[in-house]
Amino acid sequence: MKRLLSLSFFCLTIFSAANANHHYIKGVIKDEQTQLPLSFVTISVKETAKAAITDELGKFIFGDLKESTYTLVISSIGYMQQTVTLQSAEDEAQTVHLSLRRSYLALADVTVTANTLLHSTNTIGAIDMKLRPVRTSQDLLRCVPGLFIAQHAGGGKAEQIFLRGFDIDHGTDVNISVDGIPVNMVSHAHGQGYADLHFLIPETIEKLDFGKGPYYTGKGDFTTAGYVAFTTKDALDNNEVKLEAGNFSTMRALALLNIIPKQKRLKNPNQSAYIAAEYNYSNGPFTSPQYFNRYNVFAKYRTLIGKKNLLNISASDFGSKWNASGQIPERAVKQGLIGRFGSIDDSEGGSTGRTNINLQLKTQLNERTTLSQQLFYSNYRFELFSNFTFFLNDPVNGDEIRQYEKRNLGGYNMALQKKWALGNRDAESTWSAGSRYDATNGSRLSRAVKRMPLNEDYAWGNIRQLNSWVYWDNAIAITDKLQLNAGVRYDYFYFNYADLLRNAQAGKAHAGTLSPKLNLNYRLSNVLNLYVKTGKSFHSNDARVSVLQNGRQIAPAAYGFDIGADGKLGEHVFFNLAFWQLNLDQEFVYVGDEAIVEPGGKSRRRGIDFSLRTQIAKWLYADVDANYASPVLLNVPKNENRIPLAPRFSSMGGLSAKFSKGIEASLRYRWLPARPANETNTVRTRGYFVNDAVLRYSNNHWQYQLTIENLLNTDWNEAQFDTESRLRNEQEPVTELHYTPGVPFSIRVGVGYRF
């Protein structure tokens, strides 16, 4: 693969100067209602196999066009398709300015092009975002096909994530970002890659971008199973206030307000500003009330400086406090010591908060070259009380622990994108560099009793961590049907850890890693793409472990490939099918109550992903995702090679109805069968099949919604672990399944007003 990459880069370098193409069509696509530029709009040339996708400024360009008449077909999910006929002449540019009108989703308008190589699954994501009722940040994550989540600490802790045969814990193997700000926390007090997405207000999300595997040059640390990137709206369609209430004292209040009035903004669409605020409260179904409460505030300002500089400034603040019942042992429920929603230690829980400031500047240097820059800062607070083993280590006071940290996180990214011609073929290159710096003070793991910290620490120190990177990515149309993407990325890490517990001088470690990528996409027909993706990526180790190991295994590698297809079956069916494999040099297992990261050794995962979206009738849609994986540890006996909690099969899907009179309905399922809970498969989790339903009515101003979770009132376990524990009166410890019960049948109603 390295030789092929080197050859590709050499060819691209030799021909990159061949940019003297004078036959072209360019354009800008906007939303008719907001007059904001639309990204990821597909523009196809009917007379050829050429296609393009608009960038973040809504712009596109076609080169290498002979003097002739061309018909452009412009399509985007959720918008009416348009066609435009233009004449391309030598030394003359034809410019298209179009505004797309929103409409009901019609899968017949979804197009398949060779330019969607690294974004093929985003067609699936865009369809889902238009159809599914999204209520929480958890719902947003579930829009990624095959991604399952589990909450096991009272609603305020980051969710446990499962994807492609991984128990990702809280983010070790998936890269998550919002508007380019990293969500994953490195060297976190609770676990490497900890990704708390609760600062995100669902109604502010414009776009979901995701990819599976290690194939994306622009994505670095934690991009092994894949990445998830959210983009917030630049402007609101309307002001809105919303109230929701439901079982277990659950309530939610939301306000979305344009700072610049809509009429003024429509006259000057180059400037927009809004603020969003949200408050959540719930006691949950547990015997001990959770008293969970969370607030979110988000503001965003967008303006065009001159004619070529687009500036986005956003800021957010979020805070949360909660109690938790934690994981409970099966034997305690079977013996009648507690009920299914009871607890052994009801003093678990915690508090957390995050403040973000984000500046993004996009400069159009010329019609083919764009410079993007980003500067971001986060202040983060975290305190968590947990008790996994109850009275295993301390029969008198119990085993409760406190995990605590305060963090400042900042970074800068820049990317230069240039569209050019390789001979007579369109190409695009991206050169990028950036850095991220984390400064964590007083990262601590200590014992506690009923949330009262004891003067007994397992770990305590200050962490300074730097990750800097550069990358070069190239995409070229080898032919009208064949597209190549080749990239290479270099990441450098520097760790500094001052161990305050042992009063030692700061230890240091550093390392670098090179990640090549090579991907091919072939448009077999107007309705079918075939692709091959290959690449290397990595997940970084905790700084405290890396320093102790003198820099060994700072960024263990992941090597993967996908062979797949995406396309249409008839007018109204869109599908994606992929066969994949991923090999990791090192599995990481974080043992939170012992402040260590256990090396799990080499691993291999193979699997099949399948997604189907179909429009059964004008008003009725169906979707299904089915995912199979075979995850195993290598270099260990076969009877000890299972990867604990890694899903082997999972499926989700449902029906969505959209009627012309403002009525919408959705019926969904999630199916996660039993899986090994330990390496020997002697303890297995309990599988579950859960249904949810939503009914919504909207008119010009009002919206009414009914949400039913766990429609059939199934007893199901949300989070599950094989844990050794001891109850207060037990003489010997017991190893068995511990779990957090999933929510029972519950109803939530909501009313919203738009103005």
Side-chain angles (χ1 to χ4, degrees):
M1 187 175 75
K2 290 183 179 179
R3 291 184 178 180
L4 185 55
L5 275 174
S6 300
L7 179 61
S8 302
F9 291 146
F10 176 76
C11 294
L12 290 171
T13 303
I14 292 297
F15 290 105
S16 62
N19 197 20
N21 182 13
H22 300 294
H23 303 64
Y24 59 94
I25 293 173
K26 62 180 181 178
V28 179
I29 310 297
K30 295 183 177 181
D31 181 293
E32 184 181 74
Q33 185 170 331
T34 64
Q35 286 301 298
L36 294 175
L38 289 174
S39 59
F40 287 101
V41 177
T42 300
I43 303 96
S44 303
V45 181
K46 196 172 183 178
E47 289 76 14
T48 72
K50 284 182 173 292
I53 297 175
T54 55
D55 60 19
E56 293 180 13
L57 296 174
K59 296 185 176 183
F60 70 92
I61 187 168
F62 287 107
D64 183 39
L65 292 174
K66 298 178 181 179
E67 184 175 352
S68 182
T69 299
Y70 295 100
T71 302
L72 305 185
V73 180
I74 300 100
S75 61
S76 183
I77 293 172
Y79 290 87
M80 293 181 63
Q81 190 177 94
Q82 290 194 31
T83 58
V84 178
T85 302
L86 294 172
Q87 178 75 27
S88 176
E90 187 173 355
D91 297 320
E92 183 178 323
Q94 294 292 321
T95 304
V96 178
H97 292 276
L98 284 177
S99 295
L100 297 186
R101 179 174 298 178
R102 299 180 190 181
S103 67
Y104 282 102
L105 173 65
L107 292 187
D109 292 337
V110 176
T111 57
V112 178
T113 72
N115 295 66
T116 59
L117 170 60
L118 295 181
H119 304 285
S120 58
T121 52
N122 283 339
T123 302
I124 297 287
I127 293 171
D128 293 345
M129 289 288 285
K130 293 292 183 183
L131 290 179
R132 296 186 190 178
V134 174
R135 309 175 309 278
T136 65
S137 56
Q138 294 96 319
D139 288 333
L140 290 168
L141 283 172
R142 288 190 182 119
C143 285
V144 177
L147 191 152
F148 276 65
I149 58 174
Q151 176 58 255
H152 58 92
K157 187 179 177 182
E159 279 75 23
Q160 187 180 7
I161 301 173
F162 306 93
L163 179 68
R164 276 205 163 181
F166 279 88
D167 168 18
I168 294 173
D169 196 20
H170 300 288
T172 308
D173 289 283
V174 62
N175 181 309
I176 302 177
S177 64
V178 176
D179 288 336
I181 297 179
V183 178
N184 303 76
M185 294 292 179
V186 294
S187 304
H188 187 270
H190 183 69
Q192 176 70 334
Y194 187 88
D196 186 350
L197 198 62
H198 293 138
F199 66 86
L200 187 60
I201 301 175
E203 286 82 355
T204 64
I205 295 303
E206 177 67 29
K207 185 177 65 179
L208 166 64
D209 175 23
F210 68 88
K212 299 180 185 180
Y215 317 119
Y216 315 96
T217 315
K219 305 299 178 181
D221 200 2
F222 307 118
T223 313
T224 50
Y227 76 91
V228 184
F230 297 99
T231 303
T232 58
K233 296 178 179 178
D234 287 335
L236 303 175
D237 294 340
N238 299 283
N239 299 320
E240 184 176 2
V241 292
K242 184 184 296 184
L243 292 174
E244 298 179 12
N247 297 99
F248 320 123
S249 301
T250 299
M251 65 88 63
R252 178 178 185 244
L254 172 75
L256 303 167
L257 301 172
N258 278 304
I259 298 174
I260 299 176
K262 184 176 180 179
Q263 294 304 319
K264 184 177 180 180
R265 178 167 52 81
L266 289 177
K267 291 180 181 179
N268 179 20
N270 294 327
Q271 192 175 58
S272 60
Y274 70 91
I275 187 169
E278 175 192 40
Y279 178 76
N280 287 270
Y281 181 88
S282 179
N283 283 331
F286 301 93
T287 304
S288 299
Q290 290 178 311
Y291 301 118
F292 166 76
N293 67 88
R294 182 179 73 225
Y295 74 86
N296 296 72
V297 180
F298 176 77
K300 190 171 186 179
Y301 172 69
R302 171 188 176 276
T303 186
L304 189 66
I305 302 174
K307 294 183 178 180
K308 295 185 177 181
N309 297 281
L310 181 63
L311 176 66
N312 269 306
I313 303 175
S314 62
S316 66
D317 187 55
F318 123 89
S320 180
K321 294 182 179 181
W322 69 96
N323 293 339
S325 296
Q327 295 95 245
I328 57 175
E330 285 190 322
R331 65 187 184 278
V333 178
K334 291 178 180 178
Q335 294 171 14
L337 300 177
I338 60 173
R340 178 171 168 79
F341 293 95
S343 64
I344 302 299
D345 184 350
D346 63 1
S347 67
E348 295 189 50
S351 64
T352 188
R354 180 168 180 167
T355 302
N356 299 311
I357 300 174
N358 193 20
L359 284 78
Q360 294 173 291
L361 178 65
K362 190 173 291 290
T363 303
Q364 194 79 34
L365 300 179
N366 56 52
E367 63 185 14
R368 291 176 177 266
T369 309
T370 303
L371 175 65
S372 301
Q373 300 181 81
Q374 179 186 23
L375 186 67
F376 62 87
Y377 166 79
S378 295
N379 177 265
Y380 175 76
R381 296 85 63 191
F382 176 84
E383 184 177 34
L384 181 68
F385 295 90
S386 306
N387 190 345
F388 307 115
T389 55
F390 312 125
F391 296 93
L392 176 66
N393 301 312
D394 188 335
V396 177
N397 297 311
D399 299 345
E400 185 173 284
I401 59 172
R402 173 183 182 247
Q403 293 167 316
Y404 172 87
E405 73 168 53
K406 287 186 177 180
R407 176 189 302 249
N408 289 297
L409 160 66
Y412 170 79
N413 305 314
M414 64 78 63
L416 183 69
Q417 288 182 300
K418 182 176 179 60
K419 293 180 171 64
W420 46 280
L422 178 57
N424 62 349
R425 293 294 172 187
D426 291 335
E428 181 178 324
S429 293
T430 301
W431 296 266
S432 181
S435 284
R436 165 186 175 168
Y437 182 73
D438 290 72
T440 303
N441 294 319
S443 183
R444 200 165 192 166
L445 172 63
S446 56
R447 291 193 59 206
V449 177
K450 300 296 181 182
R451 296 203 185 186
M452 295 297 295
L454 300 176
N455 191 26
E456 298 180 33
D457 292 303
Y458 295 106
W460 179 30
N462 296 330
I463 303 169
R464 303 292 182 264
Q465 183 165 336
L466 173 70
N467 176 202
S468 297
W469 62 85
V470 294
Y471 72 79
W472 181 31
D473 188 75
N474 297 276
I476 178 169
I478 303 297
T479 69
D480 285 345
K481 293 188 175 184
L482 179 64
Q483 185 186 37
L484 176 145
N485 169 257
V488 64
R489 178 188 181 99
Y490 178 78
D491 282 81
Y492 171 79
F493 286 92
Y494 171 79
F495 296 145
N496 183 301
Y497 178 55
D499 191 338
L500 301 178
L501 181 61
R502 296 169 179 82
N503 198 26
Q505 292 184 349
K508 301 177 182 179
H510 65 92
T513 183
L514 192 68
S515 303
K517 327 280 183 176
L518 181 62
N519 309 295
L520 291 168
N521 192 63
Y522 183 71
R523 190 183 186 190
L524 186 64
S525 70
N526 291 336
V527 294
L528 182 62
N529 278 343
L530 305 178
Y531 61 80
V532 177
K533 300 180 183 181
T534 63
K536 170 182 175 287
S537 191
F538 62 94
H539 55 187
S540 65
N541 204 345
D542 187 286
R544 291 158 290 193
V545 177
S546 298
V547 168
L548 290 175
Q549 293 180 344
N550 297 317
R552 296 193 303 273
Q553 295 185 337
I554 282 181
Y559 304 89
F561 69 83
D562 270 47
I563 300 174
D566 60 88
K568 298 182 72 174
L569 301 172
E571 286 285 306
H572 304 290
V573 178
F574 187 90
F575 75 93
N576 176 261
L577 176 66
F579 300 86
W580 57 270
Q581 178 170 312
L582 184 67
N583 286 57
L584 265 64
D585 279 350
Q586 188 63 264
E587 284 282 327
F588 286 141
V589 179
Y590 185 77
V591 184
D593 53 348
E594 297 179 16
I596 61 173
V597 177
E598 288 185 346
K602 294 179 180 292
S603 65
R604 184 193 66 225
R605 290 167 172 84
R606 293 171 177 164
I608 302 173
D609 289 348
F610 176 71
S611 294
L612 186 73
R613 304 294 182 266
T614 179
Q615 187 170 3
I616 300 172
K618 183 178 180 180
W619 54 273
L620 183 61
Y621 307 82
D623 66 272
V624 62
D625 300 315
N627 309 92
Y628 169 76
S630 175
V632 294
L633 296 170
L634 302 178
N635 304 324
V636 297
K638 286 187 177 181
N639 60 348
E640 299 176 8
N641 70 347
R642 305 299 178 95
I643 299 178
L645 304 181
R648 301 182 68 82
F649 179 81
S650 65
S651 180
M652 62 177 70
L655 295 171
S656 301
K658 285 181 173 286
F659 301 96
S660 58
K661 294 184 178 180
I663 300 175
E664 301 176 44
S666 176
L667 177 64
R668 305 205 54 74
Y669 77 87
R670 284 172 283 138
W671 180 22
L672 188 61
R675 59 196 191 278
N678 58 15
E679 290 86 348
T680 59
N681 199 24
T682 54
V683 178
R684 293 179 61 82
T685 68
R686 308 290 184 252
Y688 65 80
F689 185 93
V690 178
N691 298 96
D692 302 319
V694 175
L695 180 64
R696 178 188 296 166
Y697 168 72
S698 305
N699 58 29
N700 290 334
H701 293 287
W702 292 95
Q703 183 183 90
Y704 306 92
Q705 182 167 304
L706 171 67
T707 302
I708 302 176
E709 293 188 73
N710 195 354
L711 183 65
L712 302 179
N713 199 25
T714 301
D715 283 344
W716 63 291
N717 297 344
E718 186 164 9
Q720 306 177 74
F721 303 90
D722 177 28
T723 305
E724 182 185 28
S725 67
R726 182 166 61 182
L727 303 181
R728 183 181 291 276
N729 297 320
E730 289 182 330
Q731 298 300 313
E732 298 294 332
V734 177
T735 300
E736 66 170 359
L737 196 69
H738 292 55
Y739 65 90
T740 299
V743 65
F745 175 87
S746 61
I747 295 177
R748 187 164 63 252
V749 295
V751 57
Y753 180 71
R754 294 189 296 267
F755 57 98

